[in-house]
Amino acid sequence: MRIIVAITGATGAAYGVRLLAALEQLGVERHLIVSRWAEVTIPKETGYTAREVGAMASVVHSRDNQGAPMASGSFRHDGMIVAPCSMKTLSAIRFGHADGLIARAADVTLKERRRLVLLPRETPLNEIHLENMLSLTRMGAIIAPPMPGFYTNPKTIDDLIDHTVGRVLDLFGLEMPQLKRWSGMRADREAPTAAELPRIATRGTDHG
Ligand SMILES: Cc1cc2nc3c(=O)[nH]c(=O)nc-3n(C[C@H](O)[C@H](O)[C@H](O)COP(=O)(O)O)c2cc1C
């Protein structure tokens, strides 16, 4: 299996780094593209240098190399993940503004109807961001914002990151061994009784 990973300059570089490590563990061929601003966020947020992150990939491609293999649809791969995805790159992909290898590779991934997964990171979201995400969803991309789930009772930041990465890998049919899954709630034992519900909920009922 062969996947393209792009890391852009939104906060959350750790998602891209963890993704590379998980893909390596699963024996997936990893083609990495790092944006200029990700070269700033990677050392600032993860403690790794961009070069060290590059060493986690099978091949690193220059973001300016429009002649790289994934700039052509004839280069076969199993999908592309942008983690994290800045609002700038989101917009470039949405509008087909393929100025740079990340947007070009995403453009090609879409035209070839391959899986494109974006982890957009910004908050709050304005109308431009939301419209871009809606358009991209309609075009076939998968918008998978790194929004932590708390139902697995995470203890560390790594737990939160692993959960998001594991759910992204699910989209490619890849099983991350560390992923904690929801296995259901036993209604008789775990669901709160009316008496156990927080007072606020009871008050809501009182108000009808
Ligand atoms: C520390 C830091 C954090 C940033 N966080 C975000 C963010 O969460 N979302 C975003 O869209 N842009 C963020 N930016 C701004 C982007 O880096 C900037 O828009 C850049 O042009 C994106 O280009 P790229 O997509 O080619 O990496 C951040 C910048 C810095 C320096």
Side-chain angles (χ1 to χ4, degrees):
M1 194 172 198
R2 175 189 277 166
I3 290 185
I4 301 168
V5 174
I7 305 180
T8 71
T11 188
Y15 289 109
V17 174
R18 187 71 192 99
L19 182 64
L20 283 171
L23 289 170
E24 183 173 17
Q25 195 181 13
L26 294 166
V28 175
E29 188 178 311
R30 306 157 312 283
H31 289 256
L32 175 66
I33 315 165
V34 176
S35 79
R36 187 165 71 82
W37 279 98
E39 282 188 359
V40 174
T41 56
I42 287 170
K44 181 168 174 47
E45 298 181 353
T46 70
Y48 289 107
T49 63
R51 185 179 288 268
E52 286 168 333
V53 171
M56 297 177 191
S58 316
V59 188
V60 181
H61 301 271
S62 163
R63 58 183 166 264
D64 299 318
N65 183 10
Q66 298 296 61
M70 61 283 290
S72 164
S74 63
F75 178 74
R76 294 181 72 170
H77 61 80
D78 298 289
M80 176 170 176
I81 307 169
V82 185
C85 182
S86 75
M87 294 302 110
K88 187 210 93 176
T89 293
L90 182 84
S91 166
I93 297 171
R94 185 257 170 114
F95 287 102
H97 187 71
D99 183 22
L101 184 58
I102 294 176
R104 172 63 186 165
D107 194 65
V108 170
T109 300
L110 280 177
K111 90 181 170 73
E112 297 295 332
R113 305 292 192 269
R114 295 184 184 130
R115 184 141 291 197
L116 176 65
V117 176
L118 309 176
L119 277 67
R121 196 278 151 200
E122 189 50 274
T123 190
L125 296 163
N126 66 29
E127 191 172 338
I128 300 169
H129 307 148
L130 291 164
E131 276 196 349
N132 286 343
M133 286 188 230
L134 181 60
S135 281
L136 281 162
T137 297
R138 288 178 173 156
M139 293 170 196
I142 297 180
I143 303 294
M147 294 182 182
F150 291 89
Y151 55 86
T152 54
N153 298 115
K155 302 286 182 292
T156 65
I157 293 175
D158 281 347
D159 289 345
L160 292 172
I161 293 171
D162 275 356
H163 189 70
T164 293
V165 169
R167 296 291 290 116
V168 166
L169 294 179
D170 270 352
L171 297 168
F172 291 84
L174 292 165
E175 178 75 33
M176 188 165 108
Q178 296 91 335
L179 180 64
K180 285 190 189 171
R181 296 183 183 279
W182 176 248
S183 54
M185 189 188 270
R186 281 184 49 188
D188 54 333
R189 278 191 40 203
E190 294 185 38
T193 63
E196 289 165 344
L197 285 171
R199 283 217 338 259
I200 185 112
T202 314
R203 241 185 279 136
T205 312
D206 286 345
H207 289 173

